[in-house]
Amino acid sequence: MGPTLRTWIEPLANWFVQLGIPEPIVHWGHPVLMGIVVFVMGGFVTYAGWRGRAADDPQVAVKNKQSHAKIAPLMFVFIVLGATGGILSLVMQGEPILESPHFWTGMTVIGMLGLNAAIALFQFGKGDKNWRTFHAYWGSTAIALLLIHVALGINLGLSI
């Protein structure tokens, strides 16, 4: 599957290479941009989601739930786009794609957040408290895995 994926991505990677993008940007652009997404957006989404669940004041709860609902989809889109950019960066650098635990944790997080998005889109099973609880813990688990993903990414970046 790796060679097939590389075949699909190489034409775009070659186009970017021809632009003469400096090597430090090709090498570290993905980690820097995704660090912002993970820590700023991910931190805010996690905080707002849990604050919405735990707040005693109904107005605070509603405000945080609304903030969570606005930012979480954007975070998901940026994570998917960032994964695409990370894969593109690996191809541009001539590195293997599917051999890294960083790749696999990233794909797992995307799957987990996709499931969480589906749960929210289907209105938590028509407001079922159990689905809301699952959503909260599943999303928190995805964010925790994302922190492991960051560590694996730093290790990968330093190794190439």
Side-chain angles (χ1 to χ4, degrees), residues 57-132:
D57 181 344
Q59 287 181 321
V60 171
V62 167
K63 181 182 176 210
N64 279 280
K65 287 178 182 180
Q66 288 173 342
S67 294
H68 176 83
K70 287 178 188 173
I71 303 298
L74 292 172
M75 181 192 78
F76 180 69
V77 167
F78 286 138
I79 286 174
V80 171
L81 291 173
T84 305
I87 293 167
L88 182 61
S89 173
L90 286 174
V91 172
M92 290 171 69
Q93 295 174 77
E95 296 293 328
I97 301 170
L98 304 179
E99 295 177 17
S100 165
H102 180 71
F103 172 84
W104 292 109
T105 56
M107 293 301 105
T108 302
V109 165
I110 287 172
M112 291 175 75
L113 292 176
L115 175 61
N116 237 18
I119 291 168
L121 282 172
F122 288 106
Q123 301 171 346
F124 306 96
K126 305 283 187 211
D128 184 334
K129 191 175 184 178
N130 292 324
W131 280 111
R132 285 192 177 279

Side-chain angles (χ1 to χ4, degrees), residues 14-84:
N14 292 337
W15 182 79
F16 276 109
V17 167
Q18 291 175 357
L19 294 177
I21 299 170
E23 191 278 333
I25 292 175
V26 172
H27 192 90
W28 294 109
H30 166 77
V32 169
L33 294 173
M34 291 311 297
I36 294 167
V37 171
V38 169
F39 291 108
V40 175
M41 293 182 88
F44 178 80
V45 165
T46 303
Y47 174 79
W50 280 103
R51 182 82 169 121
R53 285 180 61 83
D56 292 329
D57 181 344
Q59 287 181 321
V60 171
V62 167
K63 181 182 176 210
N64 279 280
K65 287 178 182 180
Q66 288 173 342
S67 294
H68 176 83
K70 287 178 188 173
I71 303 298
L74 292 172
M75 181 192 78
F76 180 69
V77 167
F78 286 138
I79 286 174
V80 171
L81 291 173
T84 305

